Amino acid sequence: MASTQQIAIAGGGPGGLYAAALLKRLDPTRRVTLWERNAPDDTFGFGIVLSDETLGGIEHADPVVYEALRKEFVRWEDIDIVHRGNRHTSSGHGFAALGRRRLLEILHDRCRSLGVDLRFRAPAPDPARLMETHDLVIAADGVHSTTRTAFQEVFRPRITPHRCRYIWLAADFAFDAFRFEIAETEHGVMQLHGYPYSADASTVIVEMREEVWRAAGFGELDETESIERCAKIFSEALGGRPLRSNNSVWTTFRTVVNERWSHENLVLLGDAAHTAHFSIGSGTKLAVEDALALAACLREHPTVPEALTAYEAERRPVVASTQRAARASLEWFENLGLYLDQPPLRFAFNLLTRSRRVTHDNLRLRDARFTESVEREFGCPPGTPPMFTPFRLRDLTLRNRVVVSPMDMYSAVDGVPGDFHLVHLGARALGGAGLVMTEMVCVSEQGRITPGCAGLYTGRQAEAWRRIVDFVHTRSPGTAIGVQLGHSGRKGSTKLMWEGMDEPLDHGNWPLVAASPLPYKPGSQTPRELTRAQLTDIREQFTAAAQRAARAGFDLLELHCAHGYLLSGFLSPLTNRRTDAYGGSLQKRLRFPLEVFDAVRAVWPEDRPMTVRISATDWAEGGNTADDAVEIARAFAEHGADAIDVSTGQVVADEQPEFGRSYQTPFADRIRHRVGIPVIAVGAISSWDDVNSLILAGRADLCALARPHLYDPHWTLHAAAEQGYQGPGAVWPAPYRAGSRRPQTGRTDAPKPRLTLDV
C-alpha cells in the first residue's frame, strides 16, 4: 500500500467527498483534509443519475454510503420522446436518481463519521505548497479547476467549447419518465431534458444552439425572465407548472481532456480531469468511479507515483470511451434540426441511439415492442433485420445494406489482378454482402500507389477483371460488384503496405504528379504540379478506365476522391496551393474532380450507379471540415452522383484523427440529411448490431466494412445466422447451405451443483 498519511483534497463535490471517505475508511490513521470554497449546503444543479454499475462499486467499497443512497433513490424505466405532438415511450432502461444536495449531505455525514477534516467556505491553499506538506494531493475542483490551471504546462489540457447554451432548472413535480421534448419555435429548435430526482421534484435542462439562444433574446433576460420564458415554451411538458432555479445561469458545455492526469504526488479527479456531456448523465458517475479506482490503486501499489500511474492507466480508456459517446450525443443535439422531418418513430429511435452505446439489439432486448414498431415504420418485412432490407441505386437493387469496403491487396502483377483477387473478391461475394467493391483500381501505370496495385489501363487488365466479375455474377447471383477508380497522386511509388506503408521505393521509382508540388511527408518524393495538358490526359485516363470497367461488367463505379490521392489532393486546401482556376476557393478546388466525374459519368452506362468516396475531414488544422464535406457532397450530387461514400483523413501525414467506434458515421449522417443524397458509412463499423442501428436510425443507407471481412469472408451470412434470419437478403450458396446454422459447441446444460459445502 502506498504511504499516504497526509492527504489534501481540493473540491467538495461528490468525487472529492467520496475519495475522502474511501481513503479514510481504508486507513483510519490517515489525516484527510478537504477544502471547499462554498458553504456545505451550496450546490448547483438539482438531480443526479447513477448507473447500477456505479452503485455496485459503491456497495462493495462502502456499504454505509450505498445503503444511505439506496433509501433515497427514485427509480424508473421509461424514456418519453415528444416531438410534433407525437409521444413515444421506450421502456426497460432502468434509471436511479436522487437530489444532488441530498447526495452531498450523505457524503458529508459519512466523511464526518470517519474523521475527515471538512473545511467549507475555504479555498484550497496553493497546490504547490500542498504538494510539499502532504503525501497526496487530489484536485477535485471541477471543470474550472485552479489546480489544473496552475500546472497546465504539465497536464496540458485541451478545453473545447460547444455550440449549445443550456440552463439547469427544476420543477416541483416528478416526471414519470426520462423526458425529451422538442420545441420548434420561431427562433429555432429548443429541447428539454427532464427526469425525476425525488417523489415531488424533477431536474429540467433547457438547451438550444447559440444562435437560437441569441435570436430568442435570452441573452438580454435576467434569471427570473429566462425561467419564465422556458416554462412558457415547455408549458405542455410541465403541465403549466413553473420552473425554479438555484443560481442558474445559461452556460456553454466545455469538453475537458488532459494529456496527463498526475504530476509527482498531485492527481486530477472528476471534472478537473475530464468532462462528458450531461445528455448521457455521466459527470457524477465518472467522478465517483474515479474515486473508487484511485483508492484501489493506492491500496494495491507500493508508492504514490506507481499508484497514480496505475489509476490513470485504468481510468483513461473508460473515460475516453465515455467522452466519445458523450460527444456523439451532444453533437446529435447540436444538429437536432437535421432530424426533425424524420418519421416519428425513426426520430425517437435515432435519439435513443444517438451516443452509439444504445443499439438496435440491446434496445430490442429492453423493449421489443417499441423496436418492432420502428422496424415496421422503416419497412422491414416481419422477421427481417434492417440490414437485410434491399436498397436501390438507379437500376441496381442491392439485396442488403452490407458493402465489402475497398481494400488494397497490393498483389497484382503489372496491374493485372490474378488468382488471389479472384479468390479474395469471390469469397466475399459468396459471403453474402450486397455489394463487393474492388480495391482502388489505378487508371494509369504512373497512377499506382505501389508496384502491386491493380489497374484498368490495358486490355489484359480488363480481361482479368471480367473473369472476376463473371465469377461473382455466376457463382453468387444477387451479389453486385463495384469498381473503385483512382490515381495515387503524390502518394504513389511506395512500398507494399507490409514492407513499409507510404515509404518510397528503394529503387524503381516513377515520377509523381499532384495538384501542387508538395511531398506527402518528409522523405517522400516531391510530385510535379500538373499542367493543363496533363489534367486533360488524366481525365481521359479515367474515362478510358471507366469504359473498360463497363465492358468488364461491373455493376457500379466509385470515383476515389479521398485519402490524399490525386483527386482528393485537389479538394484539400492543405494539398492544393494552386493559383490558377483549379485552386483557391472550394469551388475552384472542386473543378478538376468534377470534370473527371462528368467525363466518367458520360461514358458509364446510364442505368448503372456512380458513387464518390470523399474524406469528410482532413483531421488537420486548416484542412477541409465537416461543413466543407457537405458542400463537396452537394457538388457531386448536383453533377449526378448516386451516393457518397464517406470516409475521413489520410490526406496529410500529420493528421490527428479521433478514432472510436463508428467514428466516421456522424460525417455521413450530416451529409445524408443536409444534402439529401444516400450515403455509405465506413470506419470502425464492426458488428451487425452497428449496421442495424445505423440503418434504422437513418444515419446511413449502406454500411461498408473492411477488417471484419478480412477476419470473416462470410461475415454477412454469419450475421444472418446469428440473428435467426433466413430470407432473400442473405442467400447461402447451394454448396454452403449445410453450414447455415452455427456449429454446436461444448455442452452447456450439464446439471448444476445442488449443494455448496464449506471447506
Side-chain angles (χ1 to χ4, degrees):
M1 179 184 292
S3 177
T4 50
Q5 292 307 112
Q6 300 283 337
I7 299 176
I9 301 176
L17 287 166
Y18 193 52
L22 283 177
L23 293 170
K24 186 68 172 176
R25 179 171 181 267
L26 288 171
D27 184 354
T29 67
R30 286 170 169 152
R31 181 175 180 182
V32 181
T33 307
L34 182 147
W35 287 267
E36 168 55 47
R37 68 176 65 247
N38 295 306
D41 56 351
D42 286 346
T43 185
F44 305 96
F46 297 93
I48 61 99
V49 179
L50 293 176
S51 68
D52 288 340
E53 180 184 25
T54 304
L55 292 174
I58 294 173
E59 181 179 14
H60 284 90
D62 194 334
V64 173
V65 171
Y66 173 79
E67 185 60 24
L69 293 175
R70 188 187 64 79
K71 293 177 181 178
E72 300 287 339
F73 275 126
V74 293
R75 293 182 177 272
W76 72 99
E77 292 192 349
D78 291 351
I79 297 176
D80 283 349
I81 298 165
V82 183
H83 170 48
R84 291 183 175 172
N86 296 294
R87 174 175 174 172
H88 297 289
T89 300
S90 175
S91 299
H93 296 277
F95 297 98
L98 80 163
R100 182 178 174 88
R101 179 168 292 172
R102 182 63 187 129
L103 171 63
L104 293 177
E105 289 171 353
I106 290 169
L107 294 175
H108 292 163
D109 291 345
R110 185 57 172 152
C111 285
R112 291 189 182 100
S113 71
L114 292 167
V116 175
D117 182 4
L118 298 178
R119 302 184 181 183
F120 294 102
R121 300 185 182 88
D126 177 71
R129 184 156 61 87
L130 288 177
M131 292 170 69
E132 294 174 355
T133 56
H134 291 75
D135 300 308
L136 175 66
V137 180
I138 300 173
D141 48 351
V143 64
H144 302 292
S145 171
T146 57
T147 309
R148 184 184 65 227
T149 301
F151 288 91
Q152 62 182 350
E153 73 284 354
V154 175
F155 297 124
R156 291 188 286 277
R158 298 195 310 277
I159 301 174
T160 306
H162 297 285
R163 297 179 177 180
C164 284
R165 291 267 188 159
Y166 67 96
I167 188 169
W168 287 85
L169 303 168
D172 292 324
F173 74 97
F175 283 119
D176 56 5
F178 203 126
R179 187 179 182 104
F180 294 98
E181 179 127 357
I182 313 303
E184 296 178 67
T185 75
E186 61 182 314
H187 307 293
V189 184
M190 305 177 188
Q191 57 260 19
L192 174 148
H193 311 241
Y195 59 87
Y197 66 85
S198 71
D200 58 0
S202 297
T203 291
V204 175
I205 306 169
V206 176
E207 183 184 26
M208 64 199 74
R209 286 180 67 111
E210 173 79 19
E211 60 268 27
V212 176
W213 181 82
R214 292 189 180 281
F218 280 109
E220 301 165 7
L221 303 180
D222 63 24
E223 182 179 348
T224 300
E225 291 169 329
S226 278
I227 296 167
E228 291 174 350
R229 175 79 65 84
C230 289
K232 183 177 180 180
I233 292 169
F234 292 101
S235 60
E236 184 174 345
L238 299 170
R241 302 176 183 90
L243 291 167
R244 58 182 169 86
S245 72
N246 178 19
N247 297 318
S248 302
V249 295
W250 290 97
T251 189
T252 301
F253 186 81
R254 304 194 305 168
T255 296
V256 175
V257 176
N258 284 280
E259 196 168 309
R260 292 182 59 185
W261 291 4
S262 65
H263 171 57
E264 297 177 359
N265 62 336
L266 170 65
V267 64
L268 303 179
L269 184 146
D271 283 354
H274 46 70
T275 60
H277 193 249
F278 57 81
S279 61
I280 65 168
S282 57
T284 300
K285 173 183 182 296
L286 287 177
V288 168
E289 291 175 351
D290 281 355
L292 285 164
L294 178 59
C297 290
L298 287 165
R299 188 178 191 183
E300 294 164 356
H301 294 273
T303 68
V304 169
E306 287 176 293
L308 300 187
T309 298
Y311 156 73
E312 183 171 347
E314 176 181 334
R315 291 296 296 157
R316 185 177 284 279
V318 176
V319 168
S321 175
T322 301
Q323 287 188 312
R324 285 194 296 270
R327 178 148 192 163
S329 180
L330 78 85
E331 288 180 348
W332 193 92
F333 282 110
E334 285 180 343
N335 296 301
L336 178 60
L338 295 178
Y339 311 115
L340 296 177
D341 293 328
Q342 283 190 311
L345 284 164
R346 197 176 206 189
F347 176 86
F349 180 85
N350 196 353
L351 187 153
L352 291 171
T353 59
R354 66 194 181 279
S355 73
R356 303 194 287 277
R357 286 195 160 183
V358 175
T359 64
H360 171 265
D361 196 45
N362 60 41
L363 191 56
R364 184 177 58 184
L365 292 174
R366 299 179 192 196
D367 191 345
R369 181 179 298 180
F370 172 80
T371 307
E372 288 167 4
S373 68
V374 182
E375 291 171 347
R376 284 195 300 273
E377 183 188 73
F378 176 72
C380 295
T384 301
M387 66 184 292
F388 292 115
T389 56
F391 189 73
R392 181 168 179 168
L393 292 169
R394 295 205 181 211
D395 288 353
L396 175 66
T397 298
L398 303 176
R399 65 185 178 192
N400 61 55
R401 306 301 185 99
V402 179
V403 179
V404 176
S405 194
M407 294 175 278
D408 287 317
M409 293 290 106
Y410 308 108
S411 298
V413 177
D414 296 327
V416 178
D419 289 346
F420 179 90
H421 296 82
L422 175 67
V423 173
H424 167 68
L425 293 170
R428 280 141 192 88
L430 292 170
L435 173 64
V436 176
M437 291 297 300
T438 69
E439 62 196 82
M440 185 179 92
V441 176
C442 305
V443 298
S444 69
E445 185 175 19
Q446 187 184 44
R448 293 173 298 161
I449 307 167
T450 76
C453 288
L456 255 174
Y457 47 88
T458 71
R460 185 173 166 222
Q461 294 163 356
E463 285 303 312
W465 282 117
R466 178 191 290 274
R467 174 184 176 226
I468 294 168
V469 171
D470 287 347
F471 177 89
V472 171
H473 288 161
T474 302
R475 303 302 296 179
S476 185
T479 298
I481 181 168
V483 61
Q484 185 188 69
L485 292 183
H487 186 296
S488 62
R490 69 176 188 154
K491 295 179 74 175
S493 192
T494 62
K495 297 178 180 178
L496 305 183
M497 180 179 66
W498 48 87
E499 293 176 351
M501 184 170 162
D502 296 323
E503 293 296 325
L505 293 170
D506 294 329
H507 51 79
N509 286 283
W510 56 87
L512 303 182
V513 293
S516 297
L518 303 169
Y520 177 62
K521 63 180 186 179
S524 295
Q525 184 183 160
T526 299
R528 290 176 295 171
E529 180 170 303
L530 284 162
T531 65
R532 292 288 189 100
Q534 289 173 315
L535 293 177
T536 300
D537 291 343
I538 288 176
R539 187 174 66 241
E540 291 175 354
Q541 290 167 1
F542 271 95
T543 57
Q547 290 170 318
R548 294 187 182 97
R551 290 193 295 270
F554 283 104
D555 301 296
L556 175 147
L557 186 148
E558 179 166 281
L559 191 65
H560 200 339
C561 296
H563 299 169
Y565 298 121
L566 182 69
L567 299 181
S568 171
F570 273 86
L571 292 174
S572 173
L574 298 177
T575 52
N576 183 345
R577 306 289 178 79
R578 300 174 73 100
T579 57
D580 62 2
Y582 293 95
S585 67
L586 178 57
Q587 288 68 31
K588 290 183 176 180
R589 300 197 307 272
L590 269 161
R591 182 175 177 181
F592 183 61
L594 289 174
E595 285 181 358
V596 173
F597 179 91
D598 290 343
V600 171
R601 182 69 267 183
V603 300
W604 184 245
E606 180 65 23
D607 60 335
R608 302 186 208 177
M610 263 189 73
T611 64
V612 180
R613 173 168 277 201
I614 67 170
S615 286
T617 176
D618 292 343
W619 297 119
E621 187 72 27
N624 280 332
T625 66
D627 289 335
D628 294 321
V630 169
E631 297 310 311
I632 291 169
R634 181 174 285 116
F636 281 112
E638 290 171 352
H639 281 248
D642 298 292
I644 304 296
D645 187 356
V646 187
S647 186
T648 63
Q650 302 181 53
V651 174
V652 291
D654 59 348
E655 65 177 3
Q656 294 184 314
E658 297 175 5
F659 292 119
R661 178 177 167 201
S662 307
Y663 71 105
Q664 296 176 155
T665 300
F667 299 97
D669 186 3
R670 180 180 300 207
I671 288 169
R672 185 179 190 274
H673 285 91
R674 287 196 176 175
V675 180
I677 187 173
V679 296
I680 305 169
V682 62
I685 301 170
S686 57
S687 71
W688 48 259
D689 193 18
D690 287 340
V691 176
N692 282 328
S693 302
L694 297 174
I695 298 300
L696 193 57
R699 299 187 187 114
D701 300 282
L702 299 167
C703 291
L705 299 92
R707 288 179 177 87
H709 281 117
L710 292 179
Y711 180 77
D712 179 6
H714 292 81
W715 186 88
T716 307
L717 293 179
H718 291 158
E722 289 168 11
Q723 295 176 80
Y725 171 72
Q726 295 179 348
V731 179
W732 285 76
Y736 288 176
R737 285 175 188 162
S740 61
R741 289 182 297 178
R742 297 185 72 177
Q744 293 184 353
T745 56
R747 184 177 177 182
T748 59
D749 60 347
K752 294 178 172 57
R754 298 296 302 278
L755 296 173
T756 301
L757 301 177
D758 293 331
V759 179

